[in-house]
C-alpha cells in the first residue's frame, strides 16, 4: 500500500547507457515531480507534470526525458548516462487543489540510487 | 543561486535538548514555508508548515518560528530524541507562472544527530 513507489531502488550502469526509472502513485494526486538529490543531499527539482502536462522543466540536460502515460505514473528516461548523473532520484506527487493552504504537501517515494561507472 | 539558505549544515544535540535550525530567504513572493524530515534510505516527508501571516506554529515537540520582516524562519525541536536524528530541509513555495501549483525551493539540509 505504498503511496509513491519507484523502481528500481538501485541502478548501477556504465557511462553511455540508457536507463529508465519508473514511478507510480496511488494517492489520486494530479501532479507528479522528479527531484534529484546529490551527494551533499541537495534537493533540486527537475520536472513537474500536472494531469499529464509538463508544468516545470528546470535546466536539465535534454538527455533526461520524463514521460507521463497517465496522471498516476511519471517515468524518467535518461540517455547516454554520464558520471555526473550519479545521484538519488526522487519521484513525488501532490494535489494541485490546495484546500485553502497555499501549497500542498509533496509525498516522496523512497528514491532510486543511480550509480554511473 | 540558492533561494533558501539553511544553517547549520550539521547539528549534534544531547537527548532532551533543544535543536534549532535556521533558514533565510530573499524572495518576498514566497507564500508557504514547509519543513521536511528525511531518514536514511527514505524520501523526505512533510513535518510541519507555516504561512507567512502567522508568526509561530506548534505541533507537538516541533515549532516553526517565522519572522516576516527579517525574512527568516526556524525549526525548534524541543526535548530532542534519538529518533529525531535525520536530515531536515526547510523550503519555500512560489506560485509557478500564476498557477496555484507550488514550486518548492529547498534549503541544503541539516543533518541532526541526537545523542542518547
Amino acid at each position: 500500500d505504498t503511496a509513491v513507489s519507484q523502481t528500481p531502488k538501485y541502478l548501477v550502469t556504465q557511462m553511455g547507457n540508457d536507463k529508465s526509472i519508473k514511478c507510480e502513485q496511488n494517492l489520486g494526486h494530479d501532479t507528479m515531480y522528479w527531484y534529484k538529490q546529490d551527494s551533499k543531499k541537495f534537493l533540486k527539482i527537475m520536472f513537474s507534470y500536472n494531469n499529464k502536462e509538463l508544468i516545470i522543466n528546470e535546466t536539465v540536460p535534454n538527455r533526461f526525458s520524463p514521460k507521463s502515460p497517465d496522471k498516476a505514473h511519471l517515468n524518467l528516461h535518461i540517455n547516454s548516462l554520464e558520471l555526473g548523473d550519479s545521484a538519488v532520484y526522487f519521484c513525488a506527487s501532490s494535489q494541485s487543489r490546495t484546500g485553502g493552504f497555499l501549497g500542498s504537501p509533496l509525498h516522496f517515494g523512497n528514491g532510486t540510487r543511480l550509480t554511473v561507472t | 543561486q540558492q533561494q533558501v539558505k539553511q544553517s547549520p549544515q550539521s547539528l549534534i544535540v544531547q537527548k532532551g535538548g533543544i535543536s534549532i535550525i535556521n533558514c533565510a530567504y530573499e524572495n518576498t513572493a514566497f507564500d508557504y514555508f514547509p519543513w521536511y524530515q528525511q531518514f536514511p534510505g527514505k524520501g523526505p516527508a512533510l513535518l510541519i508548515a507555516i504561512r507567512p501571516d502567522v508568526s509561530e506554529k506548534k505541533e507537538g515537540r516541533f515549532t516553526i518560528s517565522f519572522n516576516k520582516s527579517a525574512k527568516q524562519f526556524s525549526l525548534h525541536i524541543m526535548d530532542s530524541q534519538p529518533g529525531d536524528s535525520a536530515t531536515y530541509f526547510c523550503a519555500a513555495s512560489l506560485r509557478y507562472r500564476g498557477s496555484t501549483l507550488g514550486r518548492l525551493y529547498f534549503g541544503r539540509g541539516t543533518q541532526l544527530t541526537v545523542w542518547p
Side-chain angles (χ1 to χ4, degrees):
Chain A
D1 60 340
T2 305
V4 181
S5 58
Q6 299 178 225
T7 54
K9 188 171 175 62
Y10 299 98
L11 188 52
V12 181
T13 187
Q14 291 185 324
M15 283 175 55
N17 285 349
D18 302 339
K19 290 293 178 185
S20 292
I21 306 172
K22 295 187 176 182
C23 178
E24 176 182 6
Q25 55 94 5
N26 63 6
L27 295 166
H29 289 164
D30 58 5
T31 307
M32 295 185 72
Y33 310 78
W34 279 108
Y35 277 83
K36 179 180 180 181
Q37 187 171 50
D38 63 22
S39 58
K40 296 187 177 179
K41 297 209 168 181
F42 180 49
L43 273 166
K44 191 176 187 319
I45 191 168
M46 300 173 69
F47 303 102
S48 166
Y49 270 76
N50 175 248
N51 284 319
K52 297 169 52 180
E53 179 189 355
L54 182 63
I55 298 296
I56 296 174
N57 185 351
E58 288 296 286
T59 309
V60 175
N62 58 15
R63 299 181 294 104
F64 291 79
S65 54
K67 282 190 171 48
S68 182
D70 55 60
K71 70 177 189 179
H73 295 84
L74 181 62
N75 304 322
L76 183 65
H77 189 76
I78 315 169
N79 289 328
S80 304
L81 278 154
E82 300 178 357
L83 291 175
D85 297 332
S86 295
V88 180
Y89 292 85
F90 285 100
C91 177
S93 71
S94 69
Q95 186 57 261
S96 63
R97 278 178 294 167
T98 60
F101 201 177
L102 295 177
S104 57
L106 294 181
H107 294 256
F108 283 86
N110 286 329
T112 295
R113 181 174 292 278
L114 172 65
T115 303
V116 182
T117 61
Chain B
Q1 181 187 1
Q2 190 68 25
Q3 295 270 3
V4 180
K5 295 183 179 177
Q6 183 173 348
S7 63
Q9 191 173 346
S10 63
L11 181 60
I12 300 174
V13 172
Q14 232 173 350
K15 180 181 174 181
I18 302 173
S19 305
I20 302 175
I21 304 171
N22 300 301
C23 286
Y25 64 96
E26 285 298 325
N27 192 338
T28 56
F30 286 140
D31 56 14
Y32 171 67
F33 299 88
W35 285 86
Y36 281 78
Q37 179 188 54
Q38 184 180 24
F39 292 106
K42 302 291 186 184
L46 179 68
L47 182 64
I48 187 172
I50 197 168
R51 289 190 301 183
D53 55 351
V54 176
S55 61
E56 183 175 285
K57 183 171 182 182
K58 185 175 181 178
E59 288 183 2
R61 296 183 293 108
F62 300 89
T63 300
I64 301 178
S65 297
F66 189 83
N67 186 331
K68 190 173 181 178
S69 60
K71 292 185 284 188
Q72 295 174 348
F73 58 111
S74 59
L75 176 69
H76 295 236
I77 306 174
M78 311 300 288
D79 187 26
S80 299
Q81 299 296 313
D84 297 331
S85 297
T87 301
Y88 291 81
F89 294 92
C90 62
S93 178
L94 188 66
R95 288 173 183 251
Y96 190 78
R97 294 179 184 169
S99 167
T100 56
L101 291 170
R103 192 238 189 272
L104 274 181
Y105 293 87
F106 283 92
R108 286 194 167 268
T110 296
Q111 176 69 54
L112 171 66
T113 302
V114 181
W115 288 100

